[in-house]
Amino acid sequence: MLYLGCHLSSAGGFAAMGKTAVKIHANTFQFFLRNPRGGAAKDIKQEDIAEYKKIASENKFGKILAHAPYTLNPCSKDASIREFAQNVFADDLQRMENIPGNLYNFHPGSHVGQGVDVAIPQIVEILDAVMPEAKNTTVLLETMSGKGSEVGSRFEELAEIISKTKINDKKKLGVCLDTCHVYSAGYDIVNRLDDVLEEFDKVIGLDRLQAIHLNDSMTEFNSHKDRHECLGKGSLGTEALIRFINHPALRGIPLNLETPNELDGYAKEIDLLRRNYKE
């Protein structure tokens, strides 16, 4: 089964997102639980949740993916920013319990000059503090491009975070792989996809790979830039992305587009991928 979607606005609630997904022939989607640039979050209405669950069941949706706000930085050298990250993280995970069995993705953060050796224990500390709230949610660390002082551009960094947490259940803590990010980070998924996935499996474990952001890249291989592009218009190209979605190791993992599009553009990309997917 190809679970394919895109990032949708959560302004109208879960049922509205579900209806929009169906309209563009998606069967999953990504969303923010709160303002992506701030801390404000709307109340969740149970009637909205019930309507969404009905839509998801009738249309055989895969797992949906909530994205942490961009302001969440669990490894800032500013203690108040780390405290904010922990509070928002915990609150988001409490909210996710309204839609159990789904996914929550976050950027590991930027160490802002502290160094990775300082940052990783800080990320682990916050994960250990908030994970009790994730009773029915899988938390995912996103692969990053390596711009600035980002943590998580190397598989080894993500593996170290995972190994140092107190969470041993692989169903609770995993990884979201972003195609633009990993290519920009120096993992050649265009020419060496098998090798990259073998390395991921060796370092982290493919059983930890729970979601994918499917994006082309505005910048070249190993650029360490985070510039998403529409499918086929960037340095990865359509053929490589089609090979990617058809790789046997990636079957059944929900894929969400974060390309610079409006809904009609997402619909066209979803159609392109569905036409080129081999069941």
Side-chain angles (χ1 to χ4, degrees), residues 1-4 143 155 175-179 182 189-190 192-198 200-201 205-214 236 240-256 277-278:
M1 173 71 83
L2 179 62
Y3 294 109
L4 187 59
T143 60
F155 295 161
V175 172
C176 173
L177 186 150
D178 186 300
T179 55
V182 294
I189 57 172
V190 173
R192 297 179 53 249
L193 178 57
D194 284 340
D195 294 339
V196 172
L197 292 177
E198 286 174 14
F200 185 99
D201 193 32
L206 279 169
D207 52 355
R208 294 274 190 185
L209 183 53
Q210 297 291 318
I212 291 164
H213 288 159
L214 195 74
L236 279 82
L241 291 166
I242 287 171
R243 286 197 303 272
F244 184 91
I245 68 167
N246 282 292
H247 196 285
L250 305 175
R251 296 271 164 162
I253 299 174
L255 302 106
N256 277 291
Y277 182 70
K278 299 173 183 176

Side-chain angles (χ1 to χ4, degrees), residues 64-83:
I64 57 174
L65 179 64
H67 199 300
Y70 299 128
T71 47
L72 191 152
N73 185 4
C75 60
S76 170
K77 63 173 151 184
D78 185 327
S80 66
I81 294 175
R82 295 199 305 275
E83 182 181 9

Side-chain angles (χ1 to χ4, degrees), residues 4 8 48 50 55 67 72 85 104 139 162 167 193 199 230 244 253 261 267 278:
L4 187 59
L8 297 178
D48 178 48
I55 294 167
H67 199 300
L72 191 152
Y104 182 85
V139 174
I162 291 168
I167 306 109
L193 178 57
E199 184 175 354
C230 295
F244 184 91
I253 299 174
N261 268 315
K278 299 173 183 176

Side-chain angles (χ1 to χ4, degrees), residues 4-24 26-34 36 52 61 64-67 256-258 261-264 266-267 270:
L4 187 59
C6 62
H7 195 99
L8 297 178
S9 169
S10 59
F14 284 93
M17 288 189 287
K19 291 173 183 176
T20 300
V22 172
K23 182 179 178 180
I24 61 173
N27 53 359
T28 184
F29 57 88
Q30 178 178 272
F31 61 100
F32 287 112
L33 282 160
R34 63 183 64 236
Y52 164 72
F61 278 17
I64 57 174
L65 179 64
H67 199 300
N256 277 291
L257 299 161
E258 291 183 321
N261 268 315
E262 300 296 333
L263 276 180
D264 59 343
Y266 282 134
I270 288 169

Side-chain angles (χ1 to χ4, degrees), residues 14-15 18 46-61 64 96-102:
F14 284 93
Q46 291 307 310
E47 56 268 31
D48 178 48
I49 294 292
E51 186 179 358
Y52 164 72
K53 288 180 178 178
K54 184 173 184 292
I55 294 167
S57 176
E58 289 174 348
N59 292 279
K60 299 180 180 179
F61 278 17
I64 57 174
M96 287 298 292
E97 290 303 300
N98 289 282
I99 46 167
N102 289 293

Side-chain angles (χ1 to χ4, degrees), residues 70 107 142-147 150 178 180-181 184 215 217-219 223-229 258:
Y70 299 128
H107 293 177
E142 184 170 340
T143 60
M144 304 307 295
S145 64
K147 67 180 174 66
E150 280 182 341
D178 186 300
C180 169
H181 293 176
S184 295
N215 306 301
S217 175
M218 290 184 183
T219 60
S223 65
H224 299 289
K225 303 287 186 182
D226 183 1
R227 300 289 303 280
H228 297 192
E229 181 58 283
E258 291 183 321

Side-chain angles (χ1 to χ4, degrees), residues 131-175:
M131 283 301 289
E133 305 296 342
K135 299 177 180 66
N136 298 285
T137 300
T138 301
V139 174
L140 307 181
L141 298 101
E142 184 170 340
T143 60
M144 304 307 295
S145 64
K147 67 180 174 66
S149 61
E150 280 182 341
V151 179
S153 65
R154 309 311 302 166
F155 295 161
E156 288 80 6
E157 292 174 3
L158 298 177
E160 185 177 350
I161 294 167
I162 291 168
S163 69
K164 287 185 173 179
T165 65
K166 297 175 183 177
I167 306 109
N168 296 317
D169 187 351
K170 291 182 179 180
K171 296 178 182 177
K172 301 290 289 190
L173 188 62
V175 172

